[in-house]
Amino acid sequence: MIIIMKHNATADEIAGAVADIESLGFKAHLSSGEERTIIGVIGDERPIEPDHFELLPGVERAVRILHPFKLASRDFHPEDSVVKINGISVGTPQVIVMAGPCSVESREQLMETAAAVKQAGAHILRGGAFKPRTSPYAFQGLGLKGLELLREARDEFHLPIVTEVMSPQDVTLVAQYADILQIGSRNMQNFALLHAVGEMQKPVLLKRGLMSTIEELLMAAEYILSHGNQRVILCERGIRTFETATRNTFDINAIPVLKSLTHLPVLADPSHGTGKWELVAPIARAAVAAGADGLIIEVHCDPARALSDGAQSLKPDKFASTIAEVRRVAQAVGRTV
Amino acid sequence: MIIIMKHNATADEIAGAVADIESLGFKAHLSSGEERTIIGVIGDERPIEPDHFELLPGVERAVRILHPFKLASRDFHPEDSVVKINGISVGTPQVIVMAGPCSVESREQLMETAAAVKQAGAHILRGGAFKPRTSPYAFQGLGLKGLELLREARDEFHLPIVTEVMSPQDVTLVAQYADILQIGSRNMQNFALLHAVGEMQKPVLLKRGLMSTIEELLMAAEYILSHGNQRVILCERGIRTFETATRNTFDINAIPVLKSLTHLPVLADPSHGTGKWELVAPIARAAVAAGADGLIIEVHCDPARALSDGAQSLKPDKFASTIAEVRRVAQAVGRTV
Amino acid sequence: MIIIMKHNATADEIAGAVADIESLGFKAHLSSGEERTIIGVIGDERPIEPDHFELLPGVERAVRILHPFKLASRDFHPEDSVVKINGISVGTPQVIVMAGPCSVESREQLMETAAAVKQAGAHILRGGAFKPRTSPYAFQGLGLKGLELLREARDEFHLPIVTEVMSPQDVTLVAQYADILQIGSRNMQNFALLHAVGEMQKPVLLKRGLMSTIEELLMAAEYILSHGNQRVILCERGIRTFETATRNTFDINAIPVLKSLTHLPVLADPSHGTGKWELVAPIARAAVAAGADGLIIEVHCDPARALSDGAQSLKPDKFASTIAEVRRVAQAVGRTV
Amino acid sequence: MIIIMKHNATADEIAGAVADIESLGFKAHLSSGEERTIIGVIGDERPIEPDHFELLPGVERAVRILHPFKLASRDFHPEDSVVKINGISVGTPQVIVMAGPCSVESREQLMETAAAVKQAGAHILRGGAFKPRTSPYAFQGLGLKGLELLREARDEFHLPIVTEVMSPQDVTLVAQYADILQIGSRNMQNFALLHAVGEMQKPVLLKRGLMSTIEELLMAAEYILSHGNQRVILCERGIRTFETATRNTFDINAIPVLKSLTHLPVLADPSHGTGKWELVAPIARAAVAAGADGLIIEVHCDPARALSDGAQSLKPDKFASTIAEVRRVAQAVGRTV
């Protein structure tokens, strides 16, 4: 942290700031220029807010030097982390594809979709049993029944399962059925839930909040990592902006930015990132071209009958052609699918 | 819902859309213009997404006619709702003031602050026992100990208590101590938590998510109201925008917009809405001038020592002068404090 | 400027940065901590971008210390500036009201509106002759004919005129008719236009860009002030955010923030700030409660017939009641209208 | 346009709306449901705002059916437009690369850069002579001298020139030197300038405003096209959002959305879209993977000495490797560079 004193700060105010810094266990390093005095705070600044210093008399501003995250940081862990799930590795040159319906709706729907995505080359099956819905009048998911169907599909098609958990109480239950626990966008800063999945020691797919910064995403990962759970996969899924032509704005910049800041694998969700099935293929290609370690894509055999997110779901044949296109782009950037 | 067919939709496609509408239990009303056919969907459209129709062959677009919320709507309940809490009424011409520290830090800190805000005219004491923090390394609140201190302050100063609950598991516990359960901004779409506080039948202070639209805020209220819990108070607390001069952008427009759309009381939080103590008084005055039914303000006797949100906390004397200013504005718009 | 060297910066890199600083005419002040070295740049940093230093080897980050604006700054000019226009003073305890139609459409329309706003207490008449329209197919204003009508209304009702100028070529012409030159939101960073109105030495009403930061607004003012034209009035008119319930989000925080950063008067435009006539009165009251020095409001005698911005225009009787409400709020904060 | 009457609209109000529609030269088509009446407006609705109808008594809402742009629309012109510039075609399977310094700073700088980008495979040379700068204290460009240097480089390296024009007065001058007139992001809604470049009948590179929607970009193109100037190239260059890790958020979704809505070629500017040179290569690859028809990239031989935008400029060797990477991705999506 650097503390910038006001132009007219008095010697007493400077001494007061130094005393405050030392009372917190840090060392202070003074630099007195012509215009103003600057004080460096020596030590691990992460637990302290710049606010604290800005309220001291004579202080104009305090500026962080270090990123506020540590365990998620590439400084702390320079090598790429690889998250292993039942023989599948996320975070290697192979681009991993997770696919399936937004919601589990019935055995028939799930099995048909699982067969199709397996056939097209997906590595992991996604499907929602507990659904966060803006409206209390919308379909809320099949709950336990949905988990059982996911398990059935998992066993039949040998596809690991990723599914969302929405509440700390449900973590133990969902963990019995799922290979990867998904934290949805709206729950990215549900800290009770982050603690609970951190405790569980299972792989976690952490989706970026639709109006969360990249730094906040890494701080949310830090909550999980701080429980010693190393298997965290991040996911960019679009942010909320002023543009209304698409449901969200897929933040393609976030992919290389995250890859430079953190060792954790980074996935892309072009289905939520656009909200329109016609845009899924170009954004999937773009995400892989930009360096994404994997994709998560919504697929439904009859989107017009989907109980949620039909507009952004691909039919199986379109999903298959999308994967073929992604494969060519992956090869162009030295990767496989 | 209105369905706009494509310019070149065939008679079969139009017949297909009509059949689909009727299969869902609605009536279809056709209007064939020169350029294209439009189909009105007659019936309660709330449970259906426009998506559903947009995926049918030959459909260009589907447009909602009704608001997706019902119980929260002024159409449904034209009179202002008044929420009563231990003899205090929120939603009347009297502007209600909730004040206190961001976090409960110690008995001494809480009692001193409670005495000061009571003295300055606050009606309800706020204070956090469970704290949502971006960083796992920051102070997370005193938990149960904090609740006990709040109860002690409540009894000593005869001030009802509002405090945040972050997890469904904690709702029963927090409800034993608090008069109003607060849902924080980051949890506005934590649907498991909304269900839990809906069940509890206690007053709820529901803060707008920093990334949520006004419509989403009303849909979150709808979750609580759908449990028969009528005592919901809404709170505008600033949204996230591109402007970085302030922590958030206080959406002053939201106050009259909410008052026109809903019968529920609407509070303003100028502390989070600005993030800077110097801005709390002008924004508190503005919110009341725009029609807010109350204010929630952070007060701390020694902001530089606060364990959270020091930069936006008022000292007691500044809080007292703010209330005096707000009182004059309230009178100018025909209200009291 | 403060330069933060990387953790592992070499002695050569540090020496290189110091040499670079000195080559630009600044002094360098080193502060070597345990973790990293920090270099203070001593001198007027405004012409240099932090970018410049961030590209030097071994540099992690460069942080500005000073605001990039100077002439607009309260540090430079601590007293409030008062802008005088034909006997009317903007920037005093009196709240100044500018009102009139969005576009000048006809003599009858303008005269009728001018009479009404004069009667209701407006101090200055607004009206557009050159109109920036999103669509080339929309009404583009009457041009010179509109200016002539404004001049006629000015003489008949003894109201100074404010009208928009959209192009550097038109500045001389518009200045012959107008008392205040308005720079519209879309032109806030039209630098050729800013230079031209700076040269003209006439009062300027500078509206904030709909996605411009407060700092950028002050930099735009700096362009005009740098020509020695001191008579600049700023105007908050709403920013673009994710919220779609209103046309723009009126940034109420900007009013006290601007009043603290700059000596220039600050107006509020609740018509564009909301986009809906029902919201103009509450936001006008709020803006004055927050410290605005004046208001600019769209008024039309027959909004449904308006050729632009009908939805946000007040009818004369509603305008008169709005002014009465604003007057009471002004008195509550120690001002007049 | 569809007009939705209020639930309780009277027969007189409905008749009034119909009369209004007919008075504007449209036909009205009534559809009376159980809940409410809907009126279709038959005719070219583009010149009318929904506002107009929303202010009529008894009207709840008016909804546009058609896009407000016409000449730019793929409905109007289904085939891709190809813009030809001195033998180079933009809008074909070949990805066109424009590259060069942000600002022209000196003959030596420009010639060295031009040689390097030519060598690496660029098709068109970019360079700013008139520079829009946030601060009046920053380098404003060499003006005419810069244009002369660009012409010299053009002749020496046989590279067509693209350069920005900032003011209607300068259009004739700049058109004498440039092959493509660039409209910068801040001037996308400078309508006087759009008219002027429309008149000039030269190719135009129209950059999306950092605060502009995709629809507004197409409406700005419509201004130029309405002068019969067909040679308009669009450019996505990043939008302003809440994320601060990058200078702008590159809106990758905009590329396929634009390609579906319009026949005009679409370029990507990864330099401004990210603001950081490290991110230029991955975003350039992503843009081409998503379907961009070309790239515009800032290159500088000594970025730390650049007078503008050094942080986002590539050195020549990095530019060359970026083009090589882009070429592989282009091939993967069936294109060339």
Side-chain angles (χ1 to χ4, degrees), chain C residues 158-180:
Chain C
H158 305 290
L159 288 168
I161 295 296
V162 57
T163 196
E164 181 164 355
V165 57
M166 286 175 60
S167 178
Q169 298 114 303
D170 297 334
V171 169
T172 306
L173 176 71
V174 176
Q176 287 166 21
Y177 291 87
D179 300 285
I180 309 175

PDB file of all heavy atoms in Angstrom, chain C residues 158-180:
ATOM      1  N   HIS C 158     -38.307  38.655 -23.143  1.00  0.00           N
ATOM      2  CA  HIS C 158     -37.157  39.051 -22.338  1.00  0.00           C
ATOM      3  C   HIS C 158     -36.539  37.854 -21.618  1.00  0.00           C
ATOM      4  O   HIS C 158     -36.269  37.891 -20.416  1.00  0.00           O
ATOM      5  CB  HIS C 158     -37.545  40.147 -21.342  1.00  0.00           C
ATOM      6  CG  HIS C 158     -38.163  41.318 -22.036  1.00  0.00           C
ATOM      7  ND1 HIS C 158     -37.453  42.171 -22.853  1.00  0.00           N
ATOM      8  CD2 HIS C 158     -39.447  41.734 -22.068  1.00  0.00           C
ATOM      9  CE1 HIS C 158     -38.278  43.080 -23.360  1.00  0.00           C
ATOM     10  NE2 HIS C 158     -39.504  42.841 -22.898  1.00  0.00           N
ATOM     11  N   LEU C 159     -36.384  36.779 -22.366  1.00  0.00           N
ATOM     12  CA  LEU C 159     -35.751  35.568 -21.833  1.00  0.00           C
ATOM     13  C   LEU C 159     -34.481  35.295 -22.636  1.00  0.00           C
ATOM     14  O   LEU C 159     -34.548  35.161 -23.860  1.00  0.00           O
ATOM     15  CB  LEU C 159     -36.680  34.357 -22.003  1.00  0.00           C
ATOM     16  CG  LEU C 159     -37.910  34.267 -21.106  1.00  0.00           C
ATOM     17  CD1 LEU C 159     -38.848  33.161 -21.623  1.00  0.00           C
ATOM     18  CD2 LEU C 159     -37.504  33.977 -19.660  1.00  0.00           C
ATOM     19  N   PRO C 160     -33.329  35.208 -21.980  1.00  0.00           N
ATOM     20  CA  PRO C 160     -32.138  34.783 -22.732  1.00  0.00           C
ATOM     21  C   PRO C 160     -32.364  33.382 -23.308  1.00  0.00           C
ATOM     22  O   PRO C 160     -33.180  32.607 -22.812  1.00  0.00           O
ATOM     23  CB  PRO C 160     -31.027  34.754 -21.674  1.00  0.00           C
ATOM     24  CG  PRO C 160     -31.528  35.589 -20.558  1.00  0.00           C
ATOM     25  CD  PRO C 160     -33.025  35.478 -20.571  1.00  0.00           C
ATOM     26  N   ILE C 161     -31.614  33.085 -24.363  1.00  0.00           N
ATOM     27  CA  ILE C 161     -31.807  31.861 -25.144  1.00  0.00           C
ATOM     28  C   ILE C 161     -30.607  30.927 -24.987  1.00  0.00           C
ATOM     29  O   ILE C 161     -29.466  31.368 -25.079  1.00  0.00           O
ATOM     30  CB  ILE C 161     -31.895  32.252 -26.648  1.00  0.00           C
ATOM     31  CG1 ILE C 161     -33.125  33.097 -26.923  1.00  0.00           C
ATOM     32  CG2 ILE C 161     -31.864  31.027 -27.557  1.00  0.00           C
ATOM     33  CD1 ILE C 161     -34.428  32.394 -26.687  1.00  0.00           C
ATOM     34  N   VAL C 162     -30.899  29.637 -24.786  1.00  0.00           N
ATOM     35  CA  VAL C 162     -29.856  28.616 -24.886  1.00  0.00           C
ATOM     36  C   VAL C 162     -30.254  27.647 -25.992  1.00  0.00           C
ATOM     37  O   VAL C 162     -31.396  27.180 -26.033  1.00  0.00           O
ATOM     38  CB  VAL C 162     -29.620  27.876 -23.547  1.00  0.00           C
ATOM     39  CG1 VAL C 162     -30.883  27.224 -22.998  1.00  0.00           C
ATOM     40  CG2 VAL C 162     -28.503  26.832 -23.684  1.00  0.00           C
ATOM     41  N   THR C 163     -29.323  27.376 -26.901  1.00  0.00           N
ATOM     42  CA  THR C 163     -29.628  26.455 -27.999  1.00  0.00           C
ATOM     43  C   THR C 163     -28.356  25.723 -28.404  1.00  0.00           C
ATOM     44  O   THR C 163     -27.250  26.220 -28.205  1.00  0.00           O
ATOM     45  CB  THR C 163     -30.272  27.201 -29.191  1.00  0.00           C
ATOM     46  OG1 THR C 163     -30.894  26.244 -30.064  1.00  0.00           O
ATOM     47  CG2 THR C 163     -29.264  27.991 -29.999  1.00  0.00           C
ATOM     48  N   GLU C 164     -28.560  24.524 -28.959  1.00  0.00           N
ATOM     49  CA  GLU C 164     -27.416  23.660 -29.245  1.00  0.00           C
ATOM     50  C   GLU C 164     -26.724  24.033 -30.553  1.00  0.00           C
ATOM     51  O   GLU C 164     -27.369  24.384 -31.537  1.00  0.00           O
ATOM     52  CB  GLU C 164     -27.901  22.199 -29.338  1.00  0.00           C
ATOM     53  CG  GLU C 164     -26.759  21.232 -29.624  1.00  0.00           C
ATOM     54  CD  GLU C 164     -27.084  19.788 -29.348  1.00  0.00           C
ATOM     55  OE1 GLU C 164     -28.186  19.492 -28.825  1.00  0.00           O
ATOM     56  OE2 GLU C 164     -26.221  18.935 -29.649  1.00  0.00           O
ATOM     57  N   VAL C 165     -25.390  23.901 -30.529  1.00  0.00           N
ATOM     58  CA  VAL C 165     -24.618  24.026 -31.760  1.00  0.00           C
ATOM     59  C   VAL C 165     -23.919  22.691 -31.979  1.00  0.00           C
ATOM     60  O   VAL C 165     -23.370  22.101 -31.049  1.00  0.00           O
ATOM     61  CB  VAL C 165     -23.643  25.227 -31.696  1.00  0.00           C
ATOM     62  CG1 VAL C 165     -22.696  25.134 -30.519  1.00  0.00           C
ATOM     63  CG2 VAL C 165     -22.874  25.357 -33.003  1.00  0.00           C
ATOM     64  N   MET C 166     -23.985  22.184 -33.197  1.00  0.00           N
ATOM     65  CA  MET C 166     -23.525  20.823 -33.465  1.00  0.00           C
ATOM     66  C   MET C 166     -22.255  20.752 -34.286  1.00  0.00           C
ATOM     67  O   MET C 166     -21.685  19.679 -34.445  1.00  0.00           O
ATOM     68  CB  MET C 166     -24.611  20.073 -34.230  1.00  0.00           C
ATOM     69  CG  MET C 166     -25.788  19.690 -33.367  1.00  0.00           C
ATOM     70  SD  MET C 166     -27.091  18.945 -34.398  1.00  0.00           S
ATOM     71  CE  MET C 166     -26.233  17.531 -35.088  1.00  0.00           C
ATOM     72  N   SER C 167     -21.831  21.871 -34.850  1.00  0.00           N
ATOM     73  CA  SER C 167     -20.715  21.794 -35.781  1.00  0.00           C
ATOM     74  C   SER C 167     -19.883  23.075 -35.672  1.00  0.00           C
ATOM     75  O   SER C 167     -20.438  24.168 -35.499  1.00  0.00           O
ATOM     76  CB  SER C 167     -21.277  21.650 -37.198  1.00  0.00           C
ATOM     77  OG  SER C 167     -20.226  21.613 -38.132  1.00  0.00           O
ATOM     78  N   PRO C 168     -18.550  22.967 -35.781  1.00  0.00           N
ATOM     79  CA  PRO C 168     -17.710  24.167 -35.674  1.00  0.00           C
ATOM     80  C   PRO C 168     -18.106  25.250 -36.676  1.00  0.00           C
ATOM     81  O   PRO C 168     -18.069  26.436 -36.340  1.00  0.00           O
ATOM     82  CB  PRO C 168     -16.307  23.627 -35.975  1.00  0.00           C
ATOM     83  CG  PRO C 168     -16.353  22.180 -35.653  1.00  0.00           C
ATOM     84  CD  PRO C 168     -17.744  21.732 -35.925  1.00  0.00           C
ATOM     85  N   GLN C 169     -18.533  24.837 -37.872  1.00  0.00           N
ATOM     86  CA  GLN C 169     -18.906  25.854 -38.870  1.00  0.00           C
ATOM     87  C   GLN C 169     -20.084  26.708 -38.427  1.00  0.00           C
ATOM     88  O   GLN C 169     -20.250  27.825 -38.916  1.00  0.00           O
ATOM     89  CB  GLN C 169     -19.361  25.226 -40.203  1.00  0.00           C
ATOM     90  CG  GLN C 169     -18.346  24.424 -40.918  1.00  0.00           C
ATOM     91  CD  GLN C 169     -18.757  22.977 -40.953  1.00  0.00           C
ATOM     92  OE1 GLN C 169     -18.969  22.407 -39.872  1.00  0.00           O
ATOM     93  NE2 GLN C 169     -18.831  22.389 -42.132  1.00  0.00           N
ATOM     94  N   ASP C 170     -20.943  26.127 -37.581  1.00  0.00           N
ATOM     95  CA  ASP C 170     -22.164  26.836 -37.208  1.00  0.00           C
ATOM     96  C   ASP C 170     -21.985  27.737 -35.992  1.00  0.00           C
ATOM     97  O   ASP C 170     -22.913  28.450 -35.611  1.00  0.00           O
ATOM     98  CB  ASP C 170     -23.281  25.829 -36.884  1.00  0.00           C
ATOM     99  CG  ASP C 170     -23.663  24.985 -38.098  1.00  0.00           C
ATOM    100  OD1 ASP C 170     -23.467  25.461 -39.229  1.00  0.00           O
ATOM    101  OD2 ASP C 170     -24.170  23.874 -37.892  1.00  0.00           O
ATOM    102  N   VAL C 171     -20.819  27.693 -35.356  1.00  0.00           N
ATOM    103  CA  VAL C 171     -20.679  28.390 -34.074  1.00  0.00           C
ATOM    104  C   VAL C 171     -20.898  29.893 -34.236  1.00  0.00           C
ATOM    105  O   VAL C 171     -21.616  30.522 -33.446  1.00  0.00           O
ATOM    106  CB  VAL C 171     -19.304  28.091 -33.433  1.00  0.00           C
ATOM    107  CG1 VAL C 171     -19.038  29.009 -32.245  1.00  0.00           C
ATOM    108  CG2 VAL C 171     -19.245  26.626 -32.996  1.00  0.00           C
ATOM    109  N   THR C 172     -20.323  30.485 -35.270  1.00  0.00           N
ATOM    110  CA  THR C 172     -20.472  31.935 -35.449  1.00  0.00           C
ATOM    111  C   THR C 172     -21.928  32.304 -35.670  1.00  0.00           C
ATOM    112  O   THR C 172     -22.453  33.252 -35.053  1.00  0.00           O
ATOM    113  CB  THR C 172     -19.621  32.407 -36.648  1.00  0.00           C
ATOM    114  OG1 THR C 172     -18.288  31.961 -36.440  1.00  0.00           O
ATOM    115  CG2 THR C 172     -19.638  33.930 -36.760  1.00  0.00           C
ATOM    116  N   LEU C 173     -22.597  31.526 -36.487  1.00  0.00           N
ATOM    117  CA  LEU C 173     -24.014  31.786 -36.754  1.00  0.00           C
ATOM    118  C   LEU C 173     -24.851  31.652 -35.478  1.00  0.00           C
ATOM    119  O   LEU C 173     -25.610  32.563 -35.120  1.00  0.00           O
ATOM    120  CB  LEU C 173     -24.528  30.791 -37.808  1.00  0.00           C
ATOM    121  CG  LEU C 173     -26.031  30.885 -38.110  1.00  0.00           C
ATOM    122  CD1 LEU C 173     -26.346  32.167 -38.874  1.00  0.00           C
ATOM    123  CD2 LEU C 173     -26.507  29.658 -38.895  1.00  0.00           C
ATOM    124  N   VAL C 174     -24.718  30.551 -34.814  1.00  0.00           N
ATOM    125  CA  VAL C 174     -25.548  30.317 -33.628  1.00  0.00           C
ATOM    126  C   VAL C 174     -25.257  31.388 -32.574  1.00  0.00           C
ATOM    127  O   VAL C 174     -26.160  31.869 -31.882  1.00  0.00           O
ATOM    128  CB  VAL C 174     -25.335  28.894 -33.078  1.00  0.00           C
ATOM    129  CG1 VAL C 174     -26.124  28.684 -31.796  1.00  0.00           C
ATOM    130  CG2 VAL C 174     -25.753  27.856 -34.130  1.00  0.00           C
ATOM    131  N   ALA C 175     -24.000  31.796 -32.477  1.00  0.00           N
ATOM    132  CA  ALA C 175     -23.625  32.789 -31.468  1.00  0.00           C
ATOM    133  C   ALA C 175     -24.277  34.149 -31.732  1.00  0.00           C
ATOM    134  O   ALA C 175     -24.406  34.970 -30.820  1.00  0.00           O
ATOM    135  CB  ALA C 175     -22.102  32.936 -31.420  1.00  0.00           C
ATOM    136  N   GLN C 176     -24.682  34.375 -32.966  1.00  0.00           N
ATOM    137  CA  GLN C 176     -25.375  35.642 -33.262  1.00  0.00           C
ATOM    138  C   GLN C 176     -26.789  35.661 -32.676  1.00  0.00           C
ATOM    139  O   GLN C 176     -27.372  36.724 -32.470  1.00  0.00           O
ATOM    140  CB  GLN C 176     -25.463  35.872 -34.771  1.00  0.00           C
ATOM    141  CG  GLN C 176     -24.123  36.253 -35.392  1.00  0.00           C
ATOM    142  CD  GLN C 176     -24.157  36.149 -36.904  1.00  0.00           C
ATOM    143  OE1 GLN C 176     -25.229  36.167 -37.504  1.00  0.00           O
ATOM    144  NE2 GLN C 176     -22.996  36.025 -37.509  1.00  0.00           N
ATOM    145  N   TYR C 177     -27.344  34.483 -32.446  1.00  0.00           N
ATOM    146  CA  TYR C 177     -28.732  34.399 -31.983  1.00  0.00           C
ATOM    147  C   TYR C 177     -28.843  33.986 -30.515  1.00  0.00           C
ATOM    148  O   TYR C 177     -29.784  34.360 -29.842  1.00  0.00           O
ATOM    149  CB  TYR C 177     -29.502  33.392 -32.848  1.00  0.00           C
ATOM    150  CG  TYR C 177     -29.719  33.861 -34.258  1.00  0.00           C
ATOM    151  CD1 TYR C 177     -28.778  33.646 -35.257  1.00  0.00           C
ATOM    152  CD2 TYR C 177     -30.883  34.560 -34.591  1.00  0.00           C
ATOM    153  CE1 TYR C 177     -28.977  34.082 -36.551  1.00  0.00           C
ATOM    154  CE2 TYR C 177     -31.089  35.008 -35.893  1.00  0.00           C
ATOM    155  CZ  TYR C 177     -30.137  34.772 -36.872  1.00  0.00           C
ATOM    156  OH  TYR C 177     -30.342  35.230 -38.136  1.00  0.00           O
ATOM    157  N   ALA C 178     -27.901  33.187 -30.050  1.00  0.00           N
ATOM    158  CA  ALA C 178     -28.045  32.585 -28.727  1.00  0.00           C
ATOM    159  C   ALA C 178     -27.266  33.354 -27.667  1.00  0.00           C
ATOM    160  O   ALA C 178     -26.231  33.951 -27.957  1.00  0.00           O
ATOM    161  CB  ALA C 178     -27.539  31.151 -28.769  1.00  0.00           C
ATOM    162  N   ASP C 179     -27.770  33.295 -26.435  1.00  0.00           N
ATOM    163  CA  ASP C 179     -27.034  33.860 -25.302  1.00  0.00           C
ATOM    164  C   ASP C 179     -26.111  32.816 -24.688  1.00  0.00           C
ATOM    165  O   ASP C 179     -25.094  33.155 -24.097  1.00  0.00           O
ATOM    166  CB  ASP C 179     -28.031  34.373 -24.266  1.00  0.00           C
ATOM    167  CG  ASP C 179     -28.907  35.454 -24.874  1.00  0.00           C
ATOM    168  OD1 ASP C 179     -28.407  36.582 -25.043  1.00  0.00           O
ATOM    169  OD2 ASP C 179     -30.064  35.153 -25.229  1.00  0.00           O
ATOM    170  N   ILE C 180     -26.505  31.564 -24.806  1.00  0.00           N
ATOM    171  CA  ILE C 180     -25.685  30.459 -24.293  1.00  0.00           C
ATOM    172  C   ILE C 180     -25.602  29.410 -25.397  1.00  0.00           C
ATOM    173  O   ILE C 180     -26.626  29.005 -25.953  1.00  0.00           O
ATOM    174  CB  ILE C 180     -26.320  29.800 -23.045  1.00  0.00           C
ATOM    175  CG1 ILE C 180     -26.674  30.859 -21.990  1.00  0.00           C
ATOM    176  CG2 ILE C 180     -25.401  28.739 -22.467  1.00  0.00           C
ATOM    177  CD1 ILE C 180     -27.419  30.286 -20.777  1.00  0.00           C
TER     178      ILE C 180
END
